[in-house]
Amino acid sequence: MAILPILTAPHPRLTKMSRPVERFDRALAELAENMLETMYAANGIGLAAPQVDVHQRVVVMDLHQEDEPPAPQILVNPEVLQAGAETATMSEGCLSVPEAYEEVERPARVTVRYQDLAGVTHTRECTGLEAVCWQHEIDHLDGVLFVDHLNRLKRDRIIQRLVKEKRLARRARDRAVRPAA
Ligand code: NI
């Protein structure tokens, strides 16, 4: 198991479309295990493979309540089959968009389909936090971040802050490696 580095916005590879998984092999199981470990280490509730720079349609999630035991889920090739007309608004955050939480409106009820690590297909109906998380993670597989659902002004403000933070971090790094005279 390994903790993988998480890409943060703005990053061109977070906007890439991920490929469907065709091989249900040991490498896929290892990727899912590493993604779960990475998600737990970052205190996230969901993580999509492109966030760790793997452009395959794999998502991990754990939506258990604090007083419940962990309930890791591995979703291969997940998709929304049907979305209800009713919408719900929930505050969302993302491991690839640090320190940003904004309300996003999405369908409140979705029917989803996915495969497990053995390649067996499952279909489920989701509501509440689960419906939000599924849609948020499937968006990642299509190169879409939750901030892309916000109005332009809010989105730009978040992205500009992240650009500035990356610039400052890079400068600090450059200074650290410069040999002292
Ligand atoms: Ni996310």
Side-chain angles (χ1 to χ4, degrees), residues 51 94 136 140:
Q51 293 181 272
C94 180
H136 176 120
H140 275 299

Side-chain angles (χ1 to χ4, degrees), residues 46-48 51 93-97 136-137 140 145-146:
L47 183 73
Q51 293 181 272
C94 180
L95 295 175
S96 292
V97 188
H136 176 120
E137 300 308 333
H140 275 299
L145 299 177
F146 84 93

Side-chain angles (χ1 to χ4, degrees), residues 50-125:
Q51 293 181 272
V52 292
D53 210 8
V54 175
H55 301 278
Q56 292 187 40
R57 302 187 82 84
V58 181
V59 163
V60 295
M61 225 182 259
D62 188 337
L63 303 178
H64 78 274
Q65 301 286 317
E66 263 177 59
D67 53 351
E68 290 171 357
Q73 296 185 68
I74 296 165
L75 316 169
V76 182
N77 298 326
E79 56 184 323
V80 174
L81 288 182
Q82 215 177 354
E86 198 188 319
T87 62
T89 301
M90 216 181 260
S91 177
E92 294 187 28
C94 180
L95 295 175
S96 292
V97 188
E99 314 286 320
Y101 299 89
E102 292 289 342
E103 305 230 298
V104 178
E105 186 182 6
R106 299 182 186 269
R109 181 181 291 270
V110 288
T111 307
V112 294
R113 181 165 65 190
Y114 68 99
Q115 284 166 286
D116 59 27
L117 283 179
V120 178
T121 301
H122 305 266
T123 305
R124 281 236 301 274
E125 207 170 297

